[in-house]
Amino acid sequence: VPANRTLPQELVARLEQVAQQHDGVVPLHGRLFSQWMHFAYPRECSYPHAAGTTKLMSSKEWSQATGMKSSLGREELERYVEQLRSLDEPADSWQQQQRHEQQQHEQQQQQ
């Protein structure tokens, strides 16, 4: 990541919101900060899923469940990496993830 990277104002504002929720301090080991780091630095920081929302599977189990291959050939991998390189706006990903989590929360409320 370039040292002179400028983060979108919306992403900075989200971090400020996290701090406001915690008396002006951002809990560095919390899920919200981990999510923020992922959207600020998507290639360097993996996405921290909420507890209980994921299930560990072997590659064979995943392939059986999805009907998809669990690995990529060299050409497929290169295409995938190129697609990732084209993602320049972390704020868009942040917004999409926040909408997704809100929808999941609303669905759980309805059940």
Side-chain angles (χ1 to χ4, degrees):
V1 174
N4 62 349
R5 179 161 182 210
T6 302
L7 296 171
Q9 183 55 39
E10 183 176 270
L11 205 52
V12 174
R14 179 62 184 132
L15 188 60
E16 291 169 354
Q17 289 173 353
V18 171
Q20 287 176 354
Q21 293 173 2
H22 296 92
D23 299 319
V25 177
V26 176
L28 297 181
H29 298 287
R31 185 175 63 90
L32 291 176
F33 181 67
S34 295
Q35 285 179 347
W36 186 88
M37 286 294 292
H38 168 73
F39 290 107
Y41 305 99
R43 293 186 184 111
E44 293 82 6
C45 303
S46 62
Y47 183 79
H49 295 280
T53 61
T54 61
K55 178 186 173 193
L56 185 61
M57 293 182 172
S58 68
S59 60
K60 184 177 179 179
E61 290 170 327
W62 185 85
S63 291
Q64 289 172 342
T66 63
M68 299 170 62
K69 297 186 308 182
S70 62
S71 61
L72 298 175
R74 183 173 181 83
E75 289 179 13
E76 293 171 305
L77 183 59
E78 288 172 359
R79 280 194 304 270
Y80 181 74
V81 168
E82 283 304 313
Q83 288 174 347
L84 290 178
R85 285 188 181 135
S86 69
L87 299 176
D88 290 330
E89 194 58 54
D92 288 344
S93 298
W94 177 264
Q95 291 171 338
Q96 290 171 359
Q97 183 60 34
Q98 294 303 307
R99 282 194 294 271
H100 175 72
E101 286 187 4
Q102 181 64 32
Q103 289 170 349
Q104 284 183 327
H105 178 71
E106 289 169 0
Q107 289 172 353
Q108 289 174 352
Q109 295 275 329
Q110 293 173 357
Q111 293 178 355

